[in-house]
Amino acid sequence: MKNFAVLLFGALLLSACGPKEPNIADVTRVISTLASDDMRGRQAFAPEAMDAANFIGSEFEAIGLSKLNGDTDFIQDFPLYTVSTASISASINGEEIASDLVAASVSSDSLNWMEGGEVVPTYVGAGDNLMATWRSNRSVPNTLLVVHPDQKEAFDQIAGFLRRPSRSMTVGGGSNMVMVLSAVKTVKTFSVAAKASTTEAMIANVAGMIEGKRTDEIVVFSGHYDHLGVRGGAEPDSIFNGANDDASGTTAVIELARYFKSMGQPERTIYFVAFTAEESGGYGSRHFSELVNPDQIVAMFNIEMIGKPAVEGPNTAWITGFDRSDFGTILQEAVEGTVFNFYADPYPDQNLFYRSDNATLARLGVPAHSISTTPIDVDTDYHQASDEVSTLDLEHMTNAIKAIAAGAATIISGEKTPTRIDPSTVN
Ligand SMILES: [Zn+2]
């Protein structure tokens, strides 16, 4: 009886400690939760995004991940500010400009500009390139553009951008631009008065780690958990579930955490991160990049849309920015002789390297690439309400997660270190 108990205990211990391969049951449970209608499309600023974050955090907890250095929670929340121009008025040479001929993007609480001050008007004549002038002044602190009436069409187009609320990670850190349409050739006197209103919203990444023997060499697995939320005009189904984009990548991050945790302590430290607000400007990865030392991150596996098989066939996945480092080659070598295969992004015209969170880290020199399997050129569910779990091939997705785990083996073991990406080549 006693021996039997010892044996049983030993068997339990073994099953608890042996590697836990990614499996379709876990994959199905996690992606079905993230992409359920209850999550209402996980729009970063909607309350359901926090439900998704809490769910991811509870999975990290159950897996036994550690919090990142200094964190008390898996949820890494941070404020994002939305600034809208509340009022704007302008006059030139004593004459008030009609409100439809003024447009402003204001990031300060209020503006009061007059002749003789710091702001000098920039004239955009009938034959000048207004678009180019606007672009080159976008990050200048204060700009007043006086635009010739012949430019009305371009003026209206840019006014549309300026009048939209702008988002910022800091208060008052942005720039102020005021644009008026006026035939005046010489501005002798002017006044501009504007007020802006700022609202703050807390949004959150979810991050956990397995501390390796080397604490200053970090491998990151990431995916964005936010999606587009609920959009009108798409009745009867107005919920954009984002099953493939990117509940699939988020599920992969969770299942890779489960797998690598079951393997015991790795050589290199592994971070598992679910980013927020990828779809609204990449703010999650920008916040994350400010919390880490990019020089310590040896590789970033950003996983985007692995729910549908690639056109090249089963057990294949492609890597964006393949030639920017030898990350892809290392993955190819690591899976040599297995059923899996990695290759370069087949859609270079789509600029996918720049269209996800990897680019933020690549700008800091990290070999940061996105891995995907989606046939994006023919995928009719991309950014549609129809991006549902029922359109995915979860067996393929489970295999893709296994492929990524196998591909990462030599980087996690410290055997291989990808070459850095040259930040000067990343826009
Ligand atoms: Zn995405």
Side-chain angles (χ1 to χ4, degrees):
M1 197 65 189
K2 199 176 170 189
N3 282 346
F4 176 72
V6 168
L7 272 174
L8 186 68
F9 180 70
L12 279 171
L13 203 67
L14 256 180
S15 70
C17 294
K20 192 173 185 334
E21 286 277 323
N23 63 79
I24 196 161
D26 285 332
V27 165
T28 305
R29 177 180 62 82
V30 170
I31 195 166
S32 303
T33 305
L34 287 170
S36 69
D37 280 355
D38 289 350
M39 294 287 185
R40 312 259 313 151
R42 309 181 305 280
Q43 205 274 337
F45 302 94
E48 291 82 5
M50 212 42 98
D51 295 342
N54 286 326
F55 169 71
I56 298 162
S58 71
E59 289 294 309
F60 283 0
E61 182 81 55
I63 290 165
L65 294 189
S66 308
K67 278 116 195 166
L68 261 52
N69 304 328
D71 283 1
T72 53
D73 204 322
F74 293 116
I75 311 279
Q76 299 185 320
D77 58 355
F78 60 99
L80 196 67
Y81 304 97
T82 302
V83 189
S84 330
T85 306
S87 68
I88 169 83
S89 64
S91 66
I92 291 182
N93 297 346
E95 248 178 75
E96 184 80 20
I97 309 282
S99 61
D100 60 324
L101 303 181
V102 187
S105 170
V106 178
S107 68
S108 309
D109 284 347
S110 65
L111 293 185
N112 278 297
W113 296 346
M114 288 177 76
E115 71 281 358
E118 269 175 54
V119 182
V120 177
T122 301
Y123 296 93
V124 184
D128 295 337
N129 188 339
L130 174 57
M131 229 15 128
T133 311
W134 166 60
R135 275 208 198 92
S136 63
N137 282 285
R138 269 202 300 193
S139 47
V140 170
N142 295 302
T143 305
L144 172 60
L145 298 181
V146 180
V147 180
H148 192 278
D150 282 3
Q151 300 259 24
K152 177 90 167 82
E153 206 175 307
F155 176 92
D156 286 340
Q157 213 180 333
I158 296 169
F161 288 114
L162 293 180
R163 289 175 181 138
R164 242 183 251 166
S166 63
R167 292 205 171 106
S168 167
M169 294 175 78
T170 53
V171 182
S175 56
N176 299 302
M177 181 174 292
V178 179
M179 188 174 69
V180 298
L181 198 72
S182 166
V184 167
K185 288 206 178 71
T186 313
V187 175
K188 292 180 194 123
T189 63
F190 71 88
S191 75
V192 170
K195 279 192 168 32
S197 65
T198 302
T199 56
E200 181 189 301
M202 293 302 283
I203 57 174
N205 292 332
V206 192
M209 70 166 184
I210 304 170
E211 192 168 86
K213 292 177 187 134
R214 306 183 197 172
T215 53
D216 55 357
E217 294 180 24
I218 299 159
V219 180
V220 177
F221 292 98
S222 64
H224 69 92
Y225 74 88
D226 72 300
H227 192 61
L228 302 171
V230 180
R231 293 189 167 185
E235 303 296 335
D237 182 10
S238 56
I239 301 175
F240 286 59
N241 302 76
N244 198 18
D245 185 14
D246 190 24
S248 70
T250 307
T251 301
V253 169
I254 293 169
E255 296 316 316
L256 288 164
R258 203 183 312 279
Y259 169 68
F260 284 116
K261 181 67 188 174
S262 74
M263 299 280 284
Q265 191 185 27
E267 183 66 27
R268 283 180 163 142
T269 296
I270 316 175
Y271 281 9
F272 301 91
V273 192
F275 290 126
T276 187
E278 190 270 351
E279 304 282 7
S280 351
Y283 294 104
S285 51
R286 280 161 62 180
H287 175 70
F288 175 76
S289 73
E290 289 169 4
L291 300 179
V292 295
N293 175 356
D295 299 339
Q296 294 185 341
I297 301 180
V298 298
M300 178 190 197
F301 295 70
N302 186 57
I303 306 160
E304 268 274 16
M305 298 191 280
I306 55 164
K308 293 183 178 183
V311 280
E312 275 71 8
N315 297 315
T316 66
W318 42 267
I319 297 169
T320 66
F322 195 94
D323 296 327
R324 289 172 177 269
S325 78
D326 64 0
F327 173 93
T329 315
I330 291 174
L331 267 64
Q332 285 176 329
E333 286 168 4
V335 297
E336 222 170 74
T338 73
V339 292
F340 305 120
N341 193 17
F342 290 101
Y343 56 98
D345 167 15
Y347 313 105
D349 294 347
Q350 298 230 17
N351 270 321
L352 296 168
F353 179 76
Y354 286 107
R355 282 170 54 190
S356 192
D357 291 308
N358 62 291
T360 303
L361 277 292
R363 280 186 195 97
L364 302 171
V366 177
H369 301 262
S370 288
I371 299 177
S372 180
T373 66
T374 216
I376 194 159
D377 55 337
V378 293
D379 185 2
T380 51
D381 302 314
Y382 175 67
H383 278 200
Q384 301 299 323
S386 60
D387 182 2
E388 309 238 18
V389 174
S390 59
T391 68
L392 304 186
D393 177 343
L394 298 184
E395 198 179 318
H396 149 75
M397 191 176 137
T398 306
N399 286 333
I401 297 169
K402 287 180 185 169
I404 294 167
T410 57
I411 297 177
I412 288 173
S413 69
E415 218 173 298
K416 291 281 166 69
T417 303
T419 50
R420 309 291 291 175
I421 286 182
D422 177 358
S424 72
T425 64
V426 186
N427 302 331

